[in-house]
Amino acid sequence: MASAAAMELLGRSFFPGPTGAAGRERGGGPCFAAVGREGRARPLRSAALAERAVVTPAPAERAAAPPSTEPPPHPQSVAARAVVTVRRRRKEDAKRRVAEQLDAYADRVGRSVLLELVSTEIDPRKGVPKKSKPSKLNWFDKKDVKAERVVYTAEFTVDASFGEPGAVTVLNRHQREFYLESVVVEGFPSGPTHFTCNSWVQPTRVDRDPRVFFTNKPYLPSETPPGLQELRRQELAALRGESAAAAIAGGERRLTDRVWDYDVYNDLGNPDKGVEFARPVLGGERMPYPRRMRTGRPSTVTGKPIHLSHKFRDTDVFFSLAGARADDRAESRVEYPEPIYVSRDEEFEEGKNEMLSEGALKALLHNFMPLLVSSVSPDIRDFAGFHDVDNLFKEGLRLKQALQDQLFQKIPFVRKIQENSEGLLRYDTPDIIKKDKFAWLRDDEFARQALAGINPVNIERLQAFPPVSKLDPAVYGPPESAITEEHVIGQLDGMSVQQALEGNRLYMLDYHDIFLPFLDRINALDGRKAYGTRTLFFLTAAGTLKPIAIELCLPPMTDGCKRAKRVFTPPADATSNWLWQLAKAHVCSNDAGVHQLINHWLRTHACMEPFIIAAHRQMSAMHPIFKLLKPHMRYTLKINALARQILINGDGVIESGFTPGRYCMEMSSFAYRELWRLDQEGLPADLIRRGMAVEDPTKPHGLRLLIEDYPYATDGLLLWSAIERWCDAYVAMYYPSDESVQCDAELQAWYAEAVETGHADKRDAPWWPRLSTPADLASLLTTLVWLTSAQHAALNFGQYPLGGYIPNRPPLMRRLVPAEGDPEHAHLVADPHRFFLSALPSLTQTTTFMTVIDTLSTHSADEEYLGERRDEAWTDDTAALAAAREFADEVRRAEEEIDRRNADTGRRNRCGAGVLPYELMAPTSGPGITCRGVPNSVTI
């Protein structure tokens, strides 16, 4: 977006448009207005700089001649100016400041930044696009300017027949890269031409070829003006690594590169550190997975086989990796904070990096003290009581006096940390205990979070009783659940189970099949215990859910093994109350794992990456669909690369913090293979698949929810409908027929590559949506925008507010539920508080997990929210801009409706004593942890 300084520099005068015909078709030469696909004349923007025409002077004797009846001569040349906005780093170290000055003085002696204008027209004599002569920026003149945005100019004189500028090339002959924000070219009869750049321009010592930036006019491939057609092809070839400048595409990517390509997840382990750090490759026949951004790093040095401690019990459902070699395709790792390759323009901007740096400092201090305490005093590695958990928010981690003296004597700087960093050592109180400290203990709150918590996308309507597993009964025993009618009949308000089923009153959280194939290996890990759980809920007359039975399942050790399936029902005495609380904790642990590994990471991060890579490889920046998708792709590749470094990698945060441990990503692969389908990722399709809604054309969104007060679904449908209308309107502007979609080569190549290469392991699935009609395209875009914005926000930004109090939602369990007669049962009876806390994560596991989800739940100051675009000149299509404004207005109206719902006392799942409002779908937010806000893209 051109800055205010740029516009002031350009001036105020303008050339009026013609009074006759609207002008040439889109993609023609010089014009005063372009006619759209439906004959709409697009008005000109005001030119901010008067055309300066250089005309050959007439002889003096002709000055006195009578007025001619012929039209005035056309000017022979046009003087134009490019106003270039460069964004500087806010914080420059001394080395960079010196380099900046050296570049300025080098500019003075000819090592300058050169711009060249490229016309939309072909020179008929040469058969190549018309070009201006190169012109240098006045860089030296601005060497002492301290502003974040600096405006430079370049002057051009071109022939009057030059036509309309369609591209600008930039050659950086300095020593350093610079961030080019925008270029505005003035002086042509067609008015100002905007070039939105937002890109790092590398010096010629890195890339000898000039960078190409296209006008903000959208062009379908078939409509590309002749002068831009070859540049369009060349730019896409460069992004795919096919150009001469990208001849190193087969090797390791440089951090300055802009090449986009695919690879499997072969960099999660590090066998060079030892076999225990090796991890299987994700992506391929053995472990299907979406593809990620290729970095081209060399293979690991060590060649060691991966020996798994246990094979999968169900070889038909999954597979064994025993004997697979770690060095088959394993890529050497780049450990954080060393940068990992993503295309240069995908790197975080300064505001985002500052937020992450603050989070890193907080993490260092939050994690240092618990690790220090647990290493010096092993007896306080666990919480002694709930007051110890509470003190993390009230006082931070306080040290006992004797331990303080011991540590201060041996490590003096510990005293300084405690004295100077108390604000950072103390955790913010999570929202879940702000209004009601004990709400998490109640059954109604446990059930409410299935509808309005951090993972509201697994609740499903029970459609057959008892629930039945889809796993192989030859391996896992009878598929039927052990829950019987006798277990639940007293909780159904006088109904039979059949009546409750027919009345749509029974619901379920079912994590049985996703966990059971892994339980032998998980439970063999030190300090990890898990079940495959099923939880049944009854829908009360008040519209709330109540849990009526929990089933905890283990793989049967022998035929008829009684411990394989245990059923718990709401308690009747003190001991059964604690057993019930432990059973709920195991359900929450299952839920936390599925939420993080599948619903959050897999569905909104990993599965979106191939669509983003393919978009950059196959669709030009001029393509109208690329322009629509661009804000929904911001930062995603970078955050996914960071996740491979510190979150999902071997021995990373996810493995350390969640019950499945080193098998976390194998579970994610299992879910991708068995569960993920793009055609069911849209909100209406997902609700219908889970039985939470039925189609009803009389309802506002074409759906009738079977639980009316389902906050995630009701608010989500508001945003889904807004996104759907926006995508429908936008697609209709550019695709009037089925043929127009089918004949768009770039569009079809994008979707085909995303499916066939990016999701290669599922490319032959029959359910992939077609892309043959405008309706197909609008539906696909709606789903992608939904997943990267609202769906991700609903699953991410409540992690600390709703999950930061570990007893409410433990991500990891360390004990099974003891049965009567077990030695541990006696421990439970003797000290239930301590036993319960000992089953939850340890002190260091708790503080590490809290620190990570604190950062993951934080909005940065540079966040762009749904309906917002920081670049106001992202397109020059006035109809598209009008539709975008209507979309923004509809998003604002949705936010107002969400506020009204949160104040409605009749909505008991979001309003009531101690009940948190549901704001995760409220579109806007300030920076920080707010438990609200829907960014355009997956930014964290």
Side-chain angles (χ1 to χ4, degrees), residues 314 317 468-473 476 479 510 512-513 534 674-675:
D314 188 353
V317 173
V468 177
S469 170
K470 296 178 182 178
L471 298 176
D472 184 356
Y476 295 101
D510 187 358
H512 177 277
D513 286 7
R534 293 189 183 101
E674 299 296 324
L675 303 176

Side-chain angles (χ1 to χ4, degrees), residues 29 363 552 652 736 746 759 794 894:
L552 304 182
E746 287 183 7
H759 287 276

Side-chain angles (χ1 to χ4, degrees), residues 457-474:
V457 298
N458 276 100
I459 187 75
E460 60 183 291
R461 180 166 55 91
L462 187 64
Q463 301 184 48
F465 187 88
V468 177
S469 170
K470 296 178 182 178
L471 298 176
D472 184 356

Side-chain angles (χ1 to χ4, degrees), residues 547-575:
I548 58 175
I550 294 174
E551 182 180 22
L552 304 182
C553 300
L554 294 171
M557 300 177 67
T558 59
D559 290 341
C561 178
K562 294 182 179 179
R563 295 176 62 89
K565 297 180 180 180
R566 298 173 62 191
V567 177
F568 297 84
T569 56
D573 57 38
T575 302

Side-chain angles (χ1 to χ4, degrees), residues 890-903:
E890 188 166 358
V891 170
R892 281 191 290 271
R893 291 192 293 271
E895 183 161 22
E896 293 169 357
E897 174 60 24
I898 290 170
D899 290 340
R900 284 192 290 270
R901 291 173 178 178
N902 283 324

